[in-house]
Amino acid sequence: MLTEVKTNKELKADPVFGQLSFDDHEQVVFCSDKDTGLKAIIGIHNTTLGPALGGTRMWAYQNEWEALNDVLRLSRGMTYKSAITGLNLGGGKAVIIGDAKTQKTPELMKKFGEYVHSLSGRYITAEDVGMETSDMDLVREVTPYVTGISEEKGGSGNPSPVTAYGVFMGMKAAAKYKFGTDLLEGKQVFVQGIGHVGEALVENLVEEGAIVTIADINQERLEAVKSKYGVTIYGGNDIYSEQMDIYAPCALGATINDDTINKLQAKVIAGAANNQLANEVKHGQLLQEKGIVYAPDFLINAGGIINVYAELEGYNKAEIMRKTENIYNTTLEILNHADVNHMTSNQAALALAQKRIDARKLENNS
């Protein structure tokens, strides 16, 4: 029984539809299970091009508002990611509120899978932050609406190396646009966030001969990656003010914000994190004014969804890599289009994605 009642001042009049991140989402599903401790939110943004596919993130959010904001932003980003990559998929995402290291259990993952199954294929889940391929295997036990399962079970396996390769291709294209060459040898690259994707990106960069500096909140991970690849651990307290050629945000989003944007010394931003711009319009414009080339995140980090889409379409690893490598060409096309049309790179990428969605909507309605 409730013992406390919130006052009117504490309540938000429009907790979902009034969220700034709400962008005409088709469906938002709140999932709760007392026995397993599951508290999750599934966001389906748009299904014009196909079922909404997007990963599940498990994170210890400070509050439910933060979790809701994240799933709304992430699911919207997936719509545009699939559209600009030419995939017949819509945009969706899920978040599970909790610490993946201490609160994730097989029972919780299976219960989450039951909620996914209840949507009858409108949402297809996959791996994201705080998740492993083995978690997707557990979800697969209760629903077919999951991708990124292990290769032993007929899936495409861990998507992180493919995601990293797409980011690497996008970074090289942005370097070509900014520096006149896509060779990264000798370039100072700061990688912020050394998870599965961040580490795989470091491997690509080291092989290319880039001078790599890494940053992460997990000191143990930093030491392991340093030992493996011979890179430098960042020892300062303000990475944004450091002199560098390329800044690669590969952790959580919104690192380009009011506090950081005026400090930035990088000439190019190209990373794996989603929603890197805290405010797409404002911060995209400020980057352009500062002469910093921004490779749109939802374009260059699309390798992961290309990888898992192969499970639905049945194409092989060679085709996965070919499609991912094409991120280079699309990134250059977007950057040149933005320049010619006097718009930011993020606006140009969104416009191209929206054009494909609108064309399909017209086709569906005819």
Side-chain angles (χ1 to χ4, degrees), residues 320-333:
I320 290 172
M321 299 313 290
R322 187 195 68 78
K323 287 179 179 292
T324 304
E325 195 165 298
N326 195 52
I327 289 174
Y328 179 101
N329 297 323
T330 308
T331 304
L332 265 183
E333 178 188 340

Side-chain angles (χ1 to χ4, degrees), residues 37 67 84 100 119 124 189 203-204 216 242 255 284 316 332-333 341:
I84 202 168
L119 294 170
I124 301 170
V189 183
E203 182 177 5
N204 287 318
D216 197 282
E242 299 293 335
T255 58
N316 60 25
L332 265 183
E333 178 188 340
N341 291 280

Side-chain angles (χ1 to χ4, degrees), residues 96-277:
I96 298 175
I97 301 170
D99 187 329
K101 292 181 179 177
T102 61
Q103 295 176 283
K104 184 170 59 176
T105 64
E107 293 75 23
L108 181 143
M109 292 309 305
K110 288 180 184 179
K111 179 57 68 173
F112 172 71
E114 290 176 14
Y115 278 103
V116 171
H117 191 69
S118 73
L119 294 170
S120 303
R122 276 179 57 77
Y123 170 65
I124 301 170
T125 196
E127 181 183 330
D128 200 86
V129 175
M131 290 288 144
E132 306 287 344
T133 304
S134 57
D135 297 316
M136 297 303 102
D137 287 347
L138 287 168
V139 172
R140 183 65 181 81
E141 291 182 21
V142 295
T143 181
Y145 305 123
V146 56
T147 57
I149 59 177
S150 62
E151 294 182 64
E152 296 78 32
K153 295 184 181 295
S156 57
N158 179 13
S160 297
V162 186
T163 303
Y165 185 63
V167 173
F168 182 61
M169 287 291 104
M171 184 184 291
K172 284 173 72 68
K176 174 73 173 177
Y177 181 83
K178 181 66 176 180
F179 306 121
T181 175
D182 61 13
L183 295 178
L184 300 179
E185 184 177 2
K187 290 287 187 289
Q188 294 273 358
V189 183
F190 278 55
V191 180
Q192 184 183 39
I194 311 298
H196 296 315
V197 177
E199 180 180 346
L201 178 61
V202 167
E203 182 177 5
N204 287 318
L205 290 167
V206 169
E207 288 177 357
E208 179 98 351
I211 303 168
V212 180
T213 301
I214 57 175
D216 197 282
I217 58 174
N218 187 329
Q219 192 63 35
E220 189 177 331
R221 281 287 296 160
L222 286 172
E223 294 293 345
V225 173
K226 174 188 175 182
S227 175
K228 189 173 181 179
Y229 301 103
V231 295
T232 301
I233 296 175
Y234 179 61
N237 54 18
D238 188 5
I239 193 172
Y240 308 101
S241 298
E242 299 293 335
Q243 291 290 333
M244 67 185 83
D245 295 303
I246 300 171
Y247 166 53
C250 295
L252 297 183
T255 58
I256 312 301
N257 53 53
D258 289 341
D259 294 330
T260 62
I261 198 160
N262 290 320
K263 302 175 185 178
L264 280 171
Q265 301 299 310
K267 302 172 182 69
V268 168
I269 298 174
N274 288 305
N275 302 317
Q276 293 167 25
L277 306 179

